[in-house]
């Protein structure tokens, strides 16, 4: 029982770290989009798209971590996958 609680605690800590990372990425994207709209930025959209594309690509490994973690949590919780 203690081992299950320790495993669950570690999974929850990892979930918090991944949630924070995904929130920061999303927040950065929203801030940049808002900043561009408010300043009526008509500069190079290619740079913006490249910057966002780069950030999303770097986040790709986190997405894989999130998928593995969700799978482990489903097994720990004994729940069937929905969807």
């Amino acid at each position: 029982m203690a081992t299950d609680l320790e495993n669950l605690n570690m999974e929850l800590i990892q979930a918090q770290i991944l949630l924070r990372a995904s929130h920061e990425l999303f927040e950065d994207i929203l801030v940049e989009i808002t900043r561009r709209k408010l300043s009526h930025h008509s500069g190079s959209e290619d740079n913006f798209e490249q910057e966002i594309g780069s950030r999303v690509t770097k986040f790709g490994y986190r997405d894989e971590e999130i998928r593995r973690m969700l799978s482990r949590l489903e097994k720990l919780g004994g729940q069937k996958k929905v969807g």
Side-chain angles (χ1 to χ4, degrees), residues 21-53:
S22 63
H23 173 71
E24 287 173 358
L25 172 63
F26 184 68
E27 184 178 43
D28 288 348
I29 292 169
L30 285 179
V31 166
E32 182 61 23
I33 289 170
T34 303
R35 186 184 68 78
R36 287 172 172 265
K37 284 186 177 186
L38 291 176
S39 67
H40 303 290
H41 184 70
S42 61
S44 174
E45 293 300 316
D46 288 340
N47 288 341
F48 176 66
E49 290 176 13
Q50 287 175 352
E51 185 178 319
I52 296 301

Side-chain angles (χ1 to χ4, degrees), residues 25 54-65 67:
L25 172 63
S54 175
R55 293 287 311 271
V56 169
T57 299
K58 288 178 184 177
F59 191 79
Y61 79 96
R62 292 286 197 178
D63 182 59
E64 289 301 316
E65 272 186 81
R67 291 172 190 270

